[in-house]
Amino acid sequence: MATDSSAPRELDAVVVGAGFAGMYMLYKLRELGFAAVAFERGTGVGGTWYWNRYPGARCDAPSMQYSYQFSEALQQEWRWTEKYASQPEILAYANHVADRFGLREHIQFSTSVESAVFDEESERWRVTTDRGEAVSARFVVLGAGCLSSRNTPKFPGLEDFEGEWFHTSDWPHEGVDFRGKRVGIVGTGSTGIQAIPVIAESAEHLTVFQRTAQYSVPARNTPMDPAYEARIKADYRGFRERNYRKPMALDVELDPPEHRTFEVDAEERRRTYEAGWETGGIALFFAFQDAVTDREANEAVSQYLRDKIAEIVDDPETAKALMPKHIYACKRPCLDTHYFETYNRPNVTLVDCSEGGVESITAKGVRAAGAEHELDVLVFATGFDAMTGSILAIDIRGRGGRSLRDKWAAGPRSYLGLSSEGFPNLFMISGPGSPSVLTNMIPTIEQHVNWIGDCLVHLRETGHRTIEATLEAEDPWLIQVRAAADQTLWDACDNWYQGANIPGKPRVFMPYVDWPGYLAKCEEVVANGYEGFALR
Ligand code: NAP
């Protein structure tokens, strides 16, 4: 679909977003015979991988698994060149999928959905866009992304800055030339940790403004091993089926940990950590059974990681400032390529602003840690209004004109992260209350899309007009999400999982921790005739 005038006015379904969620939802709807369109604010497909073009952007989940499995032909024909795919390669893959399955003509690009209002009489949603058009649809599926509403903190003085500034998730398509420039970067989460080593290679000088030091483990990315690829492809379907029910829907390529941390002596503990560090990726996370559930066990691995920083970073003061104090993996663990080594470069300076953060932006640079740092270019790797930001950016009104923003004023409320009471025929892919960001996202996106697709077919076959979560199901689910988080240490420090990175955002731990349990629950709900949902 290229222009407004060709947009159908009456549809079965509107999909919001054409990232990996929206694309597969669109494919599924059309396969099932539903007339559907996707609205996408970017000029192309790929979602996260369309926007986050910053230097060093790469996925932390192995490419042979961070990819669609719905088409055996697709997964056989596509060839990943590295263990962990780079952003350009993932974006090329998204474009390949869009072309291969003829999705592009059903996507309206450069279009943001502004509102979705449910009309109780017709039982249809009226969806409006920033291009001034409106469509009517029975179903709305939100695939707008868990990490796509960017957070640029309101730094005082930003408007006075005379240099150029960029947010990593709104990176210019033509790239940024850092040569001969004094560059500053704010943010040392997964994004900053990937970008810093690459920017340091070309910038004249790079100043890193760090509010919170982060744990990071070498990713140990490698070119794709053709023998490994052939082995997986010999039984790709079986590989996927086995991984589907594993924690995080991911084969971590490690034996499950045999022991709890303190069941082994200090020497064996050290050997196990060393093996995890050498393996890289998330191996340390799985070194012992209790790394993210027991505080003492967590402190043991945390201290090991701090010691590693001391080993790698030459300047003891810088090393000390880089050592995190919070619980390991409470903030999302980072993977890197030569991150800590970068601080040994003569053209890199760390500014520890853990006390006051970035104080202000001036015409010439950044004021932090009591000094002004002159810069030509400023990069914000400051993250996202996660999980709810892109949903609540849309003015969504359900039964009785009730606004989702009002309903979620104290935090998101959903059943299974799929549906919210009072909002019939409105589905979320990877919504708050689902495992989403704590999983290998593409396979778990596929599970949501398959569930929604089956549900729509069920409605069609049984003659039901609407489906929505009941309050009787939603309230206990909220408690279950909370209780699952309480079994872990994920909620034990400030992080974006609970909205702590956005001033004023309600503090609610949003993702559901137990993927295998969640999968079983979704299956049980269907087996029991959509238990917890009202079908009318
Ligand atoms: P993030 O984890 O939220 O990190 C944002 C960084 O900006 C933090 O260091 C934060 O410090 C800092 N910051 C925010 N506001 C600030 C302020 N006012 N002053 C100073 N510093 C400030 O965001 P992200 O790095 O973009 O990552 C978000 C998520 O995206 C990741 O957790 C991950 O799930 C995903 N991601 C994945 C990959 C991958 O697969 N490799 C790569 C990138 C991102 P504080 O910690 O003190 O708040």
Side-chain angles (χ1 to χ4, degrees), residues 233-250:
K233 286 190 172 176
D235 179 26
Y236 219 149
R237 211 185 287 275
F239 178 67
R240 297 291 204 171
E241 278 170 15
R242 288 189 295 280
N243 299 344
Y244 193 47
R245 286 179 191 278
K246 289 184 176 166
M248 303 192 291
L250 193 69

Side-chain angles (χ1 to χ4, degrees), residues 54 58-60 147 153 155 186-192 194 211-212 331-332 358 381-384 496 501:
Y54 60 86
R58 185 178 290 285
C59 185
D60 280 352
L147 293 160
F155 296 108
V186 181
T188 50
S190 298
T191 299
Q194 287 187 330
R211 188 167 68 179
T212 306
K331 286 176 181 280
R332 199 266 206 184
V358 164
T382 43
F384 303 90
W496 57 256
N501 61 328

Side-chain angles (χ1 to χ4, degrees), residues 285-355:
F285 199 80
F286 290 94
F288 291 101
Q289 293 163 355
D290 50 358
V292 291
T293 53
D294 179 88
R295 273 187 188 256
E296 268 185 70
N298 192 280
E299 177 51 26
V301 65
S302 301
Q303 189 53 47
Y304 171 82
L305 289 167
R306 288 181 209 117
D307 292 346
K308 276 286 168 200
I309 296 169
E311 266 176 43
I312 297 169
V313 178
D314 297 339
D315 174 48
E317 279 306 304
T318 306
K320 195 165 163 230
L322 284 165
M323 287 179 193
K325 298 184 183 70
H326 57 272
I327 284 166
Y328 168 59
C330 168
K331 286 176 181 280
R332 199 266 206 184
C334 301
L335 305 189
D336 71 87
T337 301
H338 308 311
Y339 174 64
F340 293 114
E341 291 84 343
T342 297
Y343 292 94
N344 295 335
R345 295 178 66 107
N347 70 332
V348 175
T349 308
L350 179 71
V351 174
D352 176 1
C353 52
S354 49
E355 294 299 317

